[in-house]
Amino acid sequence: MPIVRNLGRAANQLLQSSGCGCGVSLVPVRAIGVSPRQVASDASFHSVTFSESDHPRVLITGGLGQLGVGLAKLLRKRFGKNNVILSDIRKPADNVFYSGPFIFADILDYKNLREIVVNNRITWLFHYSALLSAVGEANVPLARAVNITGLHNVLDIAAEHNLRLFVPSTIGAFGPTSPRDPTPDLCIQRPRTIYGVSKVHAELMGEYYHYRYGLDFRCLRYPGIISADSQPGGGTTDYAVQIFHDAIKTGKFKCYLRPDTRLPMMYLDDCLKATLEIMEAPAEALTMRTYNISAMSFTPEELAQEVQKYVPELQMTYNVDQVRQAIADSWPMNFDDSNARRDWGWKHDYDLPELVTTMFSYLGSDSRIAQAN
């Protein structure tokens, strides 16, 4: 049994009763028998059909972020609604709550997270809980706890219970000394944000657990993700979402990056498709555990030219934010994802023209867009 330490009965009882101390990376000896609370918690899932029971039992942590809700929708369509549990520490919107199973899960509460995995017979875990770059820089101790200690809890639980574990990484895992055009899967990584550092840590720890303990760890480095379903949050790549909202509302957009700033990007549907494909890929097909994935790479100027096909009068101006520009200048301009395409057949659906068409089909009810079409 991987990682399980010979702590003795007394130590095991201590761990079981103390919740493993929120961040203590010890994996307790498996308990013999099932407590009444476990039986009660599990009972609600005993009514699934036989066909549903053949599918993986999925838990998504940090599920109320940009990707979690969309991923849950995709997985429920494929594996059945009751086989995919969305979790977070925040209260979900009504439409999310009623769309399928949702539970409270704090990744810093080791005991609670372990109970969720055991009681609900989880076999796949998608670990999306993380503080992103801007929030992380404003609160480094919290980012360290969530992004690193929380990861350790998830790794230990996944290894003990033989889960297939997915942890996303990011273009932020690279730094100014990394090759940028293109950026290969394996190269120097020296990020300068706590978010980026924690993602490199996650990549290396996941690979270590795979080689040391046999954990089925899988990781994709996401480029900038563009979605019509979420509002831009002020991140470095969020200009590529904001431009659509501003073009529709005002016909004017002020960009905080230089017009020639090239970054790898991807439409949300491609991102979710890639995530499911890497999880379904046969283990023997994978030559590595962390892959780059890419779809397109463009500059603000190139995006604006494509947007102007729908909003010809769009006025594009530039007011460079030095902080975000410095971050962008340290990130890849293009991802080399040839290994993903070779090993498990990755192929994107959305290039820049398809991206812009799709975004306006979701957002564009303005008269000037209708006239352009």
Side-chain angles (χ1 to χ4, degrees):
M1 186 187 308
I3 317 178
V4 177
R5 306 175 183 182
N6 186 17
L7 301 176
R9 180 175 299 176
N12 189 32
Q13 291 173 344
L14 175 61
L15 287 169
Q16 294 281 359
S17 63
S18 65
C20 299
C22 282
V24 178
S25 297
L26 299 177
V27 176
V29 178
R30 296 186 195 223
I32 300 175
V34 183
S35 70
R37 181 171 59 176
Q38 289 174 324
V39 172
S41 175
D42 200 31
S44 62
F45 290 96
H46 286 169
S47 61
V48 296
T49 66
F50 178 78
S51 61
E52 285 181 317
S53 68
D54 295 334
H55 292 309
R57 297 278 298 171
V58 179
L59 175 67
I60 304 172
T61 68
L64 297 184
Q66 180 187 20
L67 300 176
V69 174
L71 180 63
K73 183 178 180 180
L74 176 66
L75 297 179
R76 285 167 177 164
K77 183 177 180 180
R78 189 170 187 86
F79 301 133
K81 185 170 87 168
N82 288 333
N83 283 319
V84 181
I85 302 174
L86 200 61
S87 74
D88 210 306
I89 60 172
R90 294 182 288 137
K91 180 181 178 181
D94 286 348
N95 65 308
V96 174
F97 183 78
Y98 291 110
S99 64
F102 180 90
I103 57 175
F104 173 91
D106 182 355
I107 60 167
L108 297 180
D109 187 338
Y110 182 98
K111 182 180 178 182
N112 173 251
L113 188 61
R114 189 166 178 262
E115 286 178 345
I116 291 170
V117 167
V118 171
N119 293 349
N120 297 299
R121 307 186 311 281
I122 299 301
T123 57
W124 285 14
L125 198 160
F126 293 83
H127 179 54
Y128 279 107
S129 296
L131 261 66
L132 301 183
S133 54
V135 179
E137 291 305 296
N139 194 337
V140 172
L142 181 60
R144 188 173 62 232
V146 173
N147 295 10
I148 296 179
T149 303
L151 170 77
H152 292 177
N153 290 342
V154 167
L155 285 170
D156 283 348
I157 292 169
E160 182 188 5
H161 296 286
N162 300 315
L163 307 186
R164 182 170 295 183
L165 174 64
F166 178 83
V167 179
S169 190
T170 170
I171 54 175
F174 298 97
T177 54
S178 302
R180 300 184 62 219
D181 191 17
T183 302
D185 285 305
L186 300 175
C187 64
I188 188 170
Q189 293 176 256
R190 290 295 183 271
R192 292 181 176 175
T193 66
I194 186 61
Y195 177 63
V197 168
S198 70
K199 285 303 182 182
V200 175
H201 179 79
E203 294 176 12
L204 295 177
M205 287 295 290
E207 291 177 12
Y208 172 75
Y209 269 57
H210 170 69
Y211 292 114
R212 179 68 175 83
Y213 303 117
L215 173 65
D216 192 353
F217 170 83
R218 305 179 183 209
C219 177
L220 295 177
R221 294 193 188 104
Y222 291 153
I225 304 301
I226 301 173
S227 169
D229 296 331
S230 60
Q231 292 294 319
T236 304
T237 61
D238 279 348
Y239 84 88
V241 178
Q242 187 67 55
I243 188 173
F244 293 97
H245 293 274
D246 288 4
I248 291 171
K249 292 177 181 177
T250 67
K252 300 178 181 179
F253 179 63
K254 183 181 295 185
C255 184
Y256 49 73
L257 297 180
R258 293 193 312 268
D260 61 346
T261 305
R262 183 171 301 278
L263 291 169
M265 300 284 190
M266 179 176 285
Y267 184 61
L268 176 66
D269 287 6
D270 272 342
C271 175
L272 298 179
K273 184 182 79 164
T275 302
L276 177 57
E277 287 180 356
I278 186 65
M279 286 294 277
E280 291 189 319
E284 59 270 18
L286 305 180
T287 61
M288 55 187 64
R289 288 286 151 171
T290 299
Y291 289 90
N292 293 340
I293 54 165
S294 187
M296 66 193 90
S297 183
F298 55 76
T299 67
E301 185 174 35
E302 291 169 347
L303 177 58
Q305 290 172 357
E306 198 67 33
V307 170
Q308 285 169 341
K309 294 178 181 178
Y310 291 82
V311 187
E313 69 274 26
L314 173 67
Q315 298 178 25
M316 184 84 162
T317 58
Y318 296 90
N319 183 17
V320 176
D321 179 334
Q322 296 302 325
V323 174
R324 283 183 283 196
Q325 186 65 56
I327 293 173
D329 288 342
S330 73
W331 283 356
M333 298 169 64
N334 283 286
F335 260 162
D336 177 359
D337 63 354
S338 56
N339 287 319
R341 294 176 186 269
R342 180 199 66 214
D343 288 358
W344 45 276
W346 162 241
K347 183 180 180 181
H348 68 279
D349 293 326
Y350 293 84
D351 288 313
L352 181 56
E354 291 83 7
L355 165 71
V356 174
T357 299
T358 303
M359 289 293 288
F360 277 126
S361 72
Y362 278 103
L363 300 175
S365 58
D366 190 271
S367 59
R368 59 172 166 270
I369 295 174
Q371 291 169 5
N373 286 335

